[in-house]
């Protein structure tokens, strides 16, 4: 992946940085965005055309902050500082959403629509792939 232009430490371990690159690469190449280097992702890593720039073709995104380790779901409401971080990012991307730190019905609706738009499972749960995509998926 480094030879293909991705910024990644080469240490032989598949850690958080490797997962972030994997998720962004899968999103860019239209693969299932799950952070798993399965057969399709492996083949694409060797055969897909190289995108110029930072490796994912979109230099406007930010690196995702560390995921808070909590799944945001509704119902019941999820109240967590990480919810506000995700809501703020979604608002920066143009979604109409409150940034109150409470994951309720409106947040779930935004999440499901975002997931469907980005080819993720539209389950309305902000888990690892949805969190990552909020920072790395191209704005459409």
């Amino acid at each position: 992946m480094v030879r293909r232009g991705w910024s990644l430490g080469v240490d032989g371990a598949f850690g958080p940085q490797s997962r972030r690159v994997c998720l962004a690469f899968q999103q860019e190449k239209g693969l299932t965005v799950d952070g798993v280097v399965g057969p399709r992702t492996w083949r694409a890593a060797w055969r897909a055309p190289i995108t110029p720039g930072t490796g994912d073709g979109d230099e406007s995104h930010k690196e995702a902050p560390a995921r808070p380790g909590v799944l945001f779901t509704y119902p019941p409401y999820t109240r967590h500082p990480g919810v506000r971080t995700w809501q703020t990012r979604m608002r920066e991307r143009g979604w109409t959403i409150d940034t109150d730190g409470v994951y309720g019905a409106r947040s779930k609706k935004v999440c499901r629509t975002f997931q469907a738009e980005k080819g993720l499972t539209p389950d309305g749960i902000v888990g690892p792939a949805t969190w990552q995509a909020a920072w790395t998926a191209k704005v459409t």
Side-chain angles (χ1 to χ4, degrees):
M1 295 305 289
V2 171
R3 279 188 244 138
R4 296 179 61 88
W6 293 87
S7 177
L8 181 66
V10 181
D11 60 6
F14 190 86
Q17 184 183 27
S18 298
R19 181 169 168 71
R20 281 193 295 275
V21 167
C22 180
L23 289 164
F25 178 76
Q26 289 171 328
Q27 179 71 34
E28 176 192 304
K29 300 304 178 192
L31 301 167
T32 300
V33 182
D34 59 6
V36 176
V37 182
R40 292 188 70 218
T41 300
W42 181 262
R43 278 191 302 276
W46 296 100
R47 299 180 184 160
I50 295 174
T51 303
T54 62
D56 64 3
D58 178 9
E59 298 187 26
S60 66
H61 69 267
K62 302 180 196 175
E63 184 173 311
R67 195 175 76 78
V70 174
L71 295 178
F72 305 159
T73 61
Y74 171 81
Y77 293 100
T78 300
R79 295 177 192 276
H80 190 277
V83 172
R84 183 182 313 271
T85 301
W86 177 81
Q87 290 169 329
T88 300
R89 180 61 178 160
M90 297 307 287
R91 181 172 266 196
E92 290 171 355
R93 293 178 63 105
W95 296 89
T96 303
I97 188 171
D98 290 333
T99 57
D100 57 6
V102 178
Y103 189 87
R106 179 68 187 149
S107 293
K108 183 175 183 175
K109 182 177 180 181
V110 166
C111 178
R112 288 177 61 113
T113 305
F114 175 75
Q115 288 170 326
E117 179 182 294
K118 301 305 175 197
L120 301 168
T121 302
D123 58 10
I125 298 171
V126 180
T130 300
W131 178 272
Q132 184 68 28
W135 276 267
T136 60
K138 293 179 181 176
V139 177
T140 53

